[in-house]
Every structure is written in C-alpha cells, then in structure tokens.
Amino acid sequence: MNQSPSKPARIFTTRKTPRGGEILRFARQLRGYTQAESAASYGIEERTLRRWENREFDPKWNDVIGLVEDVYLLDILEVIGKINHDDTHND
C-alpha cells in the first residue's frame, strides 16, 4: 500500500509585512489627511513624512505605530490586515 503522507492544512497564507511607508500612506489616505496635516499633528516636517511614504527612507516602527495609532486613530494590525486584503483583490 503506497499512501503518501498527507500534508497538514494551511491555516494562514504567508504574506510579507508591508513596509512602513506603505502603511503610513495607506492609513493617511484612509483617514483623508494631507501629508502636511499628518506631519504637523505628529510633530515632524512634512518633508520627512513625504520621504517615508515615497520609500526614500524607512521610518522607525515606533514612528509608524505612533502616526497610525495616535494621529490617525487606527489600529496598526487592522491597517496591515486591510493592506493585505486589498493586495489579494488586486492580483
């Protein structure tokens, strides 16, 4: 009897965590903020936020979380989930 061992069912699909700039842009646009409003609310220069969103520089994760949760009043894990959900529908 040749039975191949069954593979366990995959519970989760593997996805890369979006980069900080992508998370910031998505959350900002979701809330309808401009880069200037966002930067002023967080206490950084607009140029810094623009560079983060354009992936010229990678923000520190504490800045990503701070902007998303303190300025945009969103849950960071929910934002990442929405980005991943949108990606699955845009394949």
Side-chain angles (χ1 to χ4, degrees), residues 12 15 31 33 43 54 57 59 71 78 84 91:
F12 301 103
R15 290 213 164 277
R31 297 298 268 165
Y33 282 57
N54 291 335
F57 296 101
V71 174
E78 288 181 14
N84 285 337
D91 289 340

Side-chain angles (χ1 to χ4, degrees), residues 3-70:
Q3 288 185 343
S4 61
S6 62
K7 292 182 179 180
R10 289 188 70 151
I11 297 172
F12 301 103
T13 57
T14 304
R15 290 213 164 277
K16 288 185 178 181
T17 301
R19 296 187 67 158
E22 181 182 1
I23 294 168
L24 292 176
R25 181 182 298 266
F26 185 89
R28 179 178 61 77
Q29 291 175 341
L30 188 66
R31 297 298 268 165
Y33 282 57
T34 65
Q35 287 178 332
E37 292 168 329
S38 300
S41 294
Y42 192 62
I44 59 173
E45 293 185 24
E46 181 182 353
R47 177 179 67 170
T48 300
L49 180 59
R50 185 173 51 252
R51 287 177 172 174
W52 288 346
E53 288 188 5
N54 291 335
R55 299 181 186 165
E56 293 174 36
F57 296 101
D58 287 326
K60 294 180 182 175
W61 275 105
N62 62 333
D63 289 319
V64 174
I65 294 167
L67 268 159
V68 170
E69 296 196 346
D70 298 338

